[in-house]
Amino acid sequence: MADLYLPGAERRQLDDAPMAGDGGSRTIWHITWDRNATADAPADLVPFDTLAGYFAGSGSGAAPHLLWDPFTGRCAQFFAATSRSKSVVNAAGGVETNRKGDVCLQIESLFFPYCRVGGKVYPTLADAPCTGLDRIVPWLRSWGVPDVWPMGPPTWSANRSATVWDTRSGHYGHSQVPENDHTDPGPMPDLFGSVPNTTPADRRRLDEEVR
């Protein structure tokens, strides 16, 4: 069985609850978007501990599986991989969202457009260094999430299909999940080309390096 927790992640355990268990493995990518900045008025990135404390406390009703800092690689995990998390809307009588499939791993990237880190401004998550993807992507693969974007790579425009979501495993942006109205995460880095598809032995080696 794959690891319930991303190796090296800080555990800030909330409650666990079952998935729908109706097959398939999905990942939903988000950005925290906790400040509104522009190219003319960038803003400093919010500290990791501020967001981790929020999701572990008053924001637990919207907590993801992982909070990931793409500038340092630091991660906090709030739910086991086999639990639902709570970062997307699930309307009564519609398709399952948070609980869809056997796993639906949700990742909040600590990021907002035109955030400033170390004096440099980053318009999109694709522009960030994305430190730590070499640990996160193999972990997602170990849970059966295939290297595909069923709705295409995210943009800043919403693109949703309940049928695609309900029937296809893979990676989705928040902007691609039915019953939701957010447009994040915007352009993403090349998750698959930048992180070669590793063997189980490779994954064990990566796990040992961070333990």
Side-chain angles (χ1 to χ4, degrees), residues 26-27 146-153 159 164-165 168-172 176:
R26 294 161 181 78
T27 296
D147 288 359
V148 295
W149 293 98
M151 296 294 294
N159 177 29
V164 173
W165 167 259
R168 294 192 60 188
S169 295
H171 294 252
Y172 292 82
Q176 299 171 331

Side-chain angles (χ1 to χ4, degrees), residues 2-207:
D3 288 324
L4 290 172
Y5 298 91
L6 173 71
E10 304 165 21
R11 296 191 194 181
R12 306 202 182 194
Q13 189 73 38
L14 299 174
D15 64 310
D16 278 354
M19 299 294 295
D22 54 353
S25 301
R26 294 161 181 78
T27 296
I28 304 173
W29 292 90
H30 308 252
I31 59 174
T32 53
W33 212 330
D34 37 320
R35 288 180 177 165
N36 290 318
T38 66
D40 294 330
D44 290 337
L45 189 68
V46 175
F48 182 91
D49 286 325
T50 299
L51 269 295
Y54 169 74
F55 285 128
S58 63
S60 62
H65 287 86
L66 294 180
L67 172 66
W68 166 52
D69 184 339
F71 298 95
T72 67
R74 188 178 174 188
C75 290
Q77 186 163 351
F78 304 94
F79 300 97
T82 50
S83 170
R84 63 86 181 93
S85 63
K86 302 179 180 180
S87 289
V88 294
V89 170
N90 186 63
V95 298
E96 290 289 347
T97 56
N98 290 306
R99 296 177 186 266
K100 178 62 186 173
D102 295 331
V103 295
C104 183
L105 298 161
Q106 301 199 47
I107 301 172
E108 285 275 5
S109 307
L110 180 63
F111 188 86
F112 55 86
Y114 301 105
C115 63
R116 182 172 50 220
V117 179
K120 184 176 179 180
V121 176
Y122 298 86
T124 73
L125 186 57
D127 300 307
C130 294
T131 304
L133 278 183
D134 59 342
R135 288 193 293 122
I136 294 172
V137 173
W139 183 67
L140 300 175
R141 289 171 176 153
S142 75
W143 281 102
V145 182
D147 288 359
V148 295
W149 293 98
M151 296 294 294
T155 67
W156 289 122
S157 298
N159 177 29
R160 295 181 168 95
S161 166
T163 299
V164 173
W165 167 259
D166 215 28
T167 59
R168 294 192 60 188
S169 295
H171 294 252
Y172 292 82
H174 194 175
S175 58
Q176 299 171 331
V177 180
E179 302 177 357
N180 285 255
D181 60 7
H182 287 207
T183 60
D184 62 301
M188 289 286 294
D190 178 8
L191 299 180
F192 317 134
S194 60
V195 183
N197 204 333
T198 55
T199 66
D202 292 330
R203 287 195 293 272
R204 286 194 295 272
R205 176 181 53 77
L206 287 169
D207 291 349

